[in-house]
Amino acid sequence: EEEAGGKDGGAGAASSAAAVPRLLHFIFGLSADFGGKPFGLVHHLVIAAAQHAAAPVATYFYYAHEPSGEWWEAAKPSLALRKVVAPTSVFGRPVRKFAHQADVLRLEVLLSFGGIYLDLDVLLLRPLAPLLSAAAPGQATLAHEGVGGSIGVGNALMLTPRNHSFFREWYEAYRAFSDAVWNGFSVRLPSRLAAAAPSSVRVLAYGAFYWPPWNPWGVAQLYRSERCLLRGGYAVHLWETKVWRSLLSSLSPAKLEAHGSCFAKAALAVLRGTFNFTPATLRPGERAEESLTVSLSRPLAELLLTPADG
């Protein structure tokens, strides 16, 4: 299923007609403490998977504070480093949270250069060339979060020509920026903009980029079930904040070998360089484990570290 929305027109429409440049963009380290999530194995794997799937001519890594450590040293040689100053205001309005600063910066980067932006917890599963070739000339590509876009349009994975009119309109809307609603400008606003004029933005169904979902059941699919990936999905959002302390902060190759989860199988496919995600993918006709539930009163870490019943 595919659902479209977006806006094109006015000044700059010619630039929107250009192809999506083969550039990858990552943002990391806008705060000195890395938001409590320093660069680790999971981030190295995300970069490796993206470079395999996108075949970029360059991978840009924007940072205010450079990471360190074993996995950073492994990833660094493949990156074009760009030191930035975290935007603490936009159009004179304060931007206090580092997550919101990253929201602003990714729009500025895509307006300036175009290309493919990913959060560092989005694992690409398939080559992006078919996705790009299926888009109409000049279209940007994003995906819904939630069934039918019930949450909005996600900004964790975006593909666009440079100076695209949709992104200009989105960025201009920050003249009224407020952080009163956490995802108000990052997810809800682009959903409204995309629905307003469907000619230049291709909005995919949520399964393309954002399955499993971010709720406790979806997180359990990733980190407790053996298979969870959708056939035909282009990416999986790892929702690292949900499991950083319990799993990802201390992730190692040995732990991946021992874990046996959907996530571990996908991560090992990248670590080993096979990029074969079939062992983590639901089989034809197979449904996600409906009985795999999470009680909100039970710590998620306990669930993740407890073997599945039976």
Side-chain angles (χ1 to χ4, degrees):
E1 177 189 359
E2 176 183 318
E3 301 171 44
K7 184 174 182 179
D8 192 13
S15 63
S16 291
V20 174
R22 286 171 49 206
L23 303 174
L24 281 175
H25 304 284
F26 293 102
I27 296 172
F28 193 80
L30 295 188
S31 63
D33 67 352
F34 304 102
K37 298 184 286 292
F39 196 95
L41 174 56
V42 66
H43 305 122
H44 169 64
L45 296 177
V46 163
I47 290 171
Q51 290 174 330
H52 180 263
V57 296
T59 302
Y60 292 104
F61 189 94
Y62 305 86
Y63 68 96
H65 304 274
E66 184 175 347
S68 61
E70 172 189 3
W71 296 110
W72 171 244
E73 293 303 321
K76 186 176 177 179
S78 71
L79 305 174
L81 303 186
R82 296 292 184 267
K83 189 166 186 178
V84 298
V85 176
T88 57
S89 66
V90 58
F91 297 115
R93 303 186 71 86
V95 184
R96 304 178 183 87
K97 306 292 186 181
F98 288 109
H100 294 152
Q101 293 171 5
D103 291 339
V104 172
L105 184 57
R106 73 190 67 183
L107 294 181
E108 293 176 343
V109 164
L110 289 175
L111 281 169
S112 296
F113 303 107
I116 302 160
Y117 170 84
L118 297 95
D119 278 355
L120 266 164
D121 64 345
V122 174
L123 192 72
L124 291 186
L125 305 172
R126 299 170 59 197
L128 296 181
L131 185 63
L132 293 170
S133 64
Q139 274 191 324
T141 301
L142 297 89
H144 279 145
E145 277 195 46
V147 179
S150 56
I151 298 172
V153 168
N155 73 344
L157 172 53
M158 303 183 287
L159 304 82
T160 182
R162 67 174 295 275
N163 195 30
H164 195 281
S165 56
F166 171 78
F167 285 87
R168 292 201 309 273
E169 186 174 4
W170 187 355
Y171 186 66
E172 282 292 320
Y174 271 79
R175 293 183 183 277
F177 175 71
S178 167
D179 59 10
V181 177
W182 180 260
N183 65 353
F185 279 75
S186 59
V187 176
R188 297 187 184 187
L189 171 62
S191 181
R192 294 195 300 271
L193 295 177
S199 61
S200 72
V201 181
R202 187 181 184 215
V203 182
L204 305 176
Y206 75 106
F209 298 169
Y210 300 113
W211 172 270
W214 64 272
N215 59 27
W217 178 86
V219 173
Q221 294 296 319
L222 264 173
Y223 296 100
R224 191 178 182 190
S225 72
E226 293 184 4
R227 291 179 298 278
C228 69
L229 304 181
L230 294 180
R231 297 171 65 84
Y234 279 92
V236 57
H237 200 305
L238 300 176
W239 312 115
E240 70 169 3
T241 299
K242 301 279 187 178
V243 292
W244 183 261
R245 289 186 180 181
S246 61
L247 181 63
L248 298 183
S249 63
S250 59
L251 193 66
S252 67
K255 287 188 176 182
L256 288 176
E257 294 282 359
H259 202 261
S261 67
C262 178
F263 161 72
K265 291 176 180 179
L268 283 171
V270 181
L271 186 64
R272 293 168 177 166
T274 68
F275 301 97
N276 177 15
F277 300 104
T278 301
T281 302
L282 293 168
R283 296 164 181 160
E286 183 180 13
R287 296 173 61 88
E289 296 184 34
E290 294 181 12
S291 62
L292 192 61
T293 58
V294 181
S295 168
L296 294 180
S297 62
R298 184 180 178 192
L300 183 59
E302 178 188 345
L303 174 71
L304 298 177
L305 299 176
T306 302
D309 296 337

